[in-house]
Amino acid sequence: MFWYLLLLWGGISAVEVQRPRGVPLSKRPFYEENKPFTCLDGSRTIPFDRINDDYCDCQDGSDEPGTAACPNGNFHCTNAGFRPTFIPSSHVNDGICDCCDATDEYNSGAECQNTCRELWRKEKESMQKLAEIAKEGFLLKQQLIQEAKRGLEEKQTKLGEVQNSKKDLETNVEALRTAKEAAEQPEKEAKERHLKAWEEQNAAIRMEKDKVRMAEVFIELDADGDGFVSVAELLSHSEMDPDSSDGSFTEAEAQELLGGVDKVNTAAFETIWSKIREKYVSESNTDGPAPVETPQEEVREPVSDNDSEPYPDDDIPEEEDEDEDEDEDEDMDDGDYKSPPVTRTDEKKDDSEEGAMPPYDQETQNLIDAAQKARNEFEEAERALREVDDQIRNLEKEISFDFGPSSEFAYLYSQCYELTTGEYVYRLCPFNRVSQKPKYGGSETNLGTWGKWAGPEGNVYSVMKYEQGTGCWQGPNRSTTVKLTCGKETVVTSTSEPSRCEYLMEFTSPAVCQEAPDLEVSDIHEEL
């Protein structure tokens, strides 16, 4: 706009064009003296002498451009030496100077000064400053465009290099995958052999212990020592009753446990041992007194040699809590650790005596180490391939991004700019997000993430839109509109919240500057 105003500045020529007061030159043809006047809305035609007679004849007020008779009329301020403008007709002769040339107060008695030239002088200075900023900004913009062009070429070259390296990495990953699988197979087989040998060893130990226990039980059941276990001898052990619900262990039930015979020797006892094993209770466990656990309250800590005082009663954990913990431990699943009971079967003792699996032999350990090394190398190669994929995605995104007609806005990418106000610190990261954080501590609020260029047609790169920020309480998601103006520096100049949860940010950048025409400012043409 100011280019247009400056270009209007030419040599002085005072040309007076006769027309009714308050009529602009553009509408002069509609007001021909000594000819009937037709209202500009076409509603009626009146004699010309009724123009500006201080009586409103036309509904659109066009017959009273120079008086306050029509409430909807407009008065044209010629403002010779400055800029023409329109004011409501109601402001004519109201005692207030609205036109800088004082033409609106021709009959009010108000003492108005013609300030048009002074206004123009000030505006001219302002426009010259803006023109200088635009000129310098445009030069910076050209540098930004060249830098963006070089940057784009570098990124395209880098993308090609990375894509080529990806092929090599993919080949390497597949080779290392094959090597890993080849190393893991003998490792797996060696581990399985080691486990199988350990299990077989444990099974042999269990079998040997089971035979020893079977012999001990046979001896205990053979009360008369005749080398046979009889029905009568079996009946002395009521725990052997297969049907404990009736409370009676009969001879028939005992005979059935012995395989249908009255007595069995050692060899025959081995065939029925599986029926006896789980039910039999050794006489040594029933006749003797059960081991007594030491009560918790009787356990005492060793007396300390120092003279420090004991903890106060309040600091000592209550014993009930410990008892409850013990009860809970007893209710845990079989897979969980259980405190050893007072009386345990020999079988459980045997299981616990098996212990942990022994260390691998050196040959197996070497296979494990080799497989682990292959896994590490494969995982490292996979990680490098993922990093390259990320790099390719980022480069492709940046190369294809809309940074303006000549990529002049590319320098803003990955940058952030802050503005500190009385209460908040506002942070604009172009093409990423806008945020707000309390100045004196507190969490950050997202005011929107990059959405699109949203300027008007023909100047779309003058406005940025950031959307889908943090939701307002019982309201919409926050959003921010960033208006860009020409400036030598890249800076956030102001922020506001014109509507609830909708923010406005002013941002200057040389990338917005346009080329200024060569201007020679002298005097202004005056419309009279």
Side-chain angles (χ1 to χ4, degrees):
M1 178 61 183
F2 61 86
W3 309 132
Y4 172 73
L5 292 173
L6 287 175
L7 287 169
L8 287 178
W9 199 277
I12 291 180
S13 66
V15 179
E16 184 175 0
V17 180
Q18 293 294 330
R19 61 191 185 276
R21 189 189 303 272
V23 175
L25 278 176
S26 60
K27 294 182 180 179
R28 170 66 181 84
F30 299 106
Y31 295 85
E32 294 189 32
E33 192 173 359
N34 300 322
K35 288 186 179 181
F37 173 74
T38 300
C39 301
L40 296 184
D41 62 1
S43 58
R44 62 183 299 189
T45 300
I46 61 174
F48 188 83
D49 59 6
R50 291 168 66 175
I51 301 295
N52 285 337
D53 65 351
D54 209 21
Y55 182 84
C56 193
D57 297 292
C58 298
Q59 294 180 359
D60 63 357
S62 58
D63 64 312
E64 298 296 322
T67 73
C70 296
N72 57 340
N74 288 305
F75 179 85
H76 179 259
C77 298
T78 303
N79 290 343
F82 189 49
R83 186 170 52 247
T85 188
F86 286 92
I87 63 171
S89 294
S90 58
H91 292 183
V92 175
N93 291 323
D94 62 352
I96 299 174
C97 304
D98 298 292
C99 301
C100 69
D101 61 0
T103 53
D104 60 314
E105 299 301 320
Y106 60 89
N107 198 30
S108 68
E111 295 183 1
C112 298
Q113 300 295 322
N114 189 322
T115 60
C116 291
R117 289 190 176 275
E118 179 62 20
L119 289 174
W120 176 249
R121 185 187 64 78
K122 292 180 179 179
E123 184 161 310
K124 181 180 64 174
E125 291 177 357
S126 176
M127 287 190 295
Q128 286 174 330
K129 289 179 181 179
L130 290 175
E132 188 63 30
I133 291 173
K135 183 178 180 180
E136 294 182 30
F138 185 74
L139 291 176
L140 291 173
K141 178 179 180 178
Q142 300 310 302
Q143 297 176 17
L144 293 174
I145 290 174
Q146 293 303 315
E147 290 173 4
K149 183 179 179 181
R150 288 193 296 269
L152 180 60
E153 292 172 352
E154 291 173 0
K155 289 180 179 65
Q156 289 172 334
T157 302
K158 180 68 174 177
L159 178 61
E161 294 173 352
V162 174
Q163 287 173 333
N164 289 333
S165 69
K166 179 182 177 181
K167 296 176 183 178
D168 296 336
L169 285 173
E170 288 173 335
T171 302
N172 188 41
V173 165
E174 290 308 312
L176 291 174
R177 188 196 307 276
T178 302
K180 176 179 77 75
E181 293 171 352
E184 286 176 337
Q185 185 59 33
E187 175 200 37
K188 178 183 177 184
E189 294 172 355
K191 280 184 169 182
E192 289 175 348
R193 285 195 301 271
H194 183 84
L195 177 62
K196 183 179 180 181
W198 180 58
E199 290 175 341
E200 289 175 350
Q201 179 183 351
N202 287 336
I205 293 173
R206 285 195 297 270
M207 184 180 295
E208 186 60 32
K209 289 182 178 180
D210 191 57
K211 287 181 178 179
V212 171
R213 182 167 179 260
M214 180 181 69
E216 292 174 348
V217 171
F218 183 86
I219 293 172
E220 289 182 1
L221 288 174
D222 184 14
D224 57 9
D226 63 351
F228 292 90
V229 174
S230 64
V231 169
E233 289 171 331
L234 202 59
L235 287 172
S236 65
H237 288 266
S238 59
E239 78 275 7
M240 304 298 296
D241 184 4
D243 185 11
S244 58
S245 60
D246 58 7
S248 174
F249 188 21
T250 65
E251 290 185 5
E253 290 173 331
Q255 191 176 41
E256 183 179 352
L257 280 174
L258 293 177
V261 297
D262 292 334
K263 59 182 179 180
V264 294
N265 59 14
T266 304
F269 187 76
E270 186 174 351
T271 63
I272 66 169
W273 170 236
S274 61
K275 300 178 183 179
I276 303 296
R277 181 194 295 115
E278 300 299 330
K279 290 181 172 291
Y280 179 75
V281 177
S282 176
E283 293 178 356
S284 62
N285 289 338
T286 57
D287 296 341
V292 179
E293 288 189 278
T294 304
Q296 182 70 27
E297 55 269 30
E298 293 182 9
V299 177
R300 293 290 182 266
E301 294 291 334
V303 178
S304 175
D305 293 336
N306 59 37
D307 296 329
S308 62
E309 295 183 1
Y311 290 109
D313 294 341
D314 292 342
D315 294 338
I316 299 176
E318 294 183 5
E319 294 175 357
E320 288 184 2
D321 294 340
E322 295 179 1
D323 294 338
E324 290 174 5
D325 293 340
E326 291 176 2
D327 294 340
E328 292 174 3
D329 291 342
E330 292 176 1
D331 293 336
M332 289 193 297
D333 296 336
D334 294 340
D336 297 327
Y337 174 80
K338 293 185 178 181
S339 300
V342 175
T343 303
R344 291 169 47 184
T345 64
D346 292 339
E347 183 177 2
K348 290 182 179 178
K349 288 181 180 178
D350 293 344
D351 292 341
S352 64
E353 289 170 1
E354 291 177 4
M357 186 170 64
Y360 294 113
D361 59 82
Q362 190 59 48
E363 182 180 357
T364 300
Q365 188 60 51
N366 289 342
L367 292 173
I368 293 173
D369 292 342
Q372 186 58 48
K373 181 181 178 183
R375 279 190 290 270
N376 292 343
E377 291 175 349
F378 171 73
E379 290 170 1
E380 181 63 30
E382 268 200 327
R383 182 163 47 252
L385 181 58
R386 286 195 299 271
E387 290 175 355
V388 165
D389 283 333
D390 291 341
Q391 196 174 1
I392 289 173
R393 279 193 298 271
N394 291 336
L395 284 169
E396 288 177 339
K397 177 183 177 182
E398 195 168 348
I399 288 172
S400 63
F401 206 93
D402 183 5
F403 290 121
S406 302
S407 298
E408 57 267 36
F409 294 98
Y411 81 103
L412 299 175
Y413 193 75
S414 300
Q415 302 296 318
C416 292
Y417 305 89
E418 291 186 351
L419 174 67
T420 301
T421 64
E423 297 182 38
Y424 297 101
V425 176
Y426 292 90
R427 185 177 177 86
L428 168 63
C429 300
F431 312 112
N432 187 0
R433 67 197 297 263
V434 181
S435 63
Q436 173 197 66
K437 189 173 183 180
K439 187 176 179 180
Y440 301 105
S443 59
E444 187 177 77
T445 301
N446 182 0
L447 302 185
T449 56
W450 169 254
K452 59 186 177 181
W453 292 106
E457 185 177 356
N459 194 20
V460 67
Y461 297 102
S462 63
V463 178
M464 291 176 167
K465 189 68 176 178
Y466 293 80
E467 303 166 315
Q468 298 301 315
T470 304
C472 285
W473 171 252
Q474 294 183 340
N477 285 20
R478 290 173 171 83
S479 63
T480 301
T481 299
V482 180
K483 291 187 176 181
L484 290 82
T485 56
C486 171
K488 293 186 292 184
E489 298 180 349
T490 304
V491 62
V492 178
T493 57
S494 68
T495 61
S496 60
E497 188 178 3
S499 300
R500 182 171 180 257
C501 306
E502 294 181 0
Y503 297 82
L504 176 63
M505 188 171 279
E506 300 283 347
F507 185 62
T508 65
S509 165
V512 188
C513 298
Q514 301 298 321
E515 185 175 13
D518 293 329
L519 302 174
E520 292 183 5
V521 178
S522 55
D523 298 304
I524 190 170
H525 170 79
E526 295 186 352
E527 180 189 81
L528 298 177

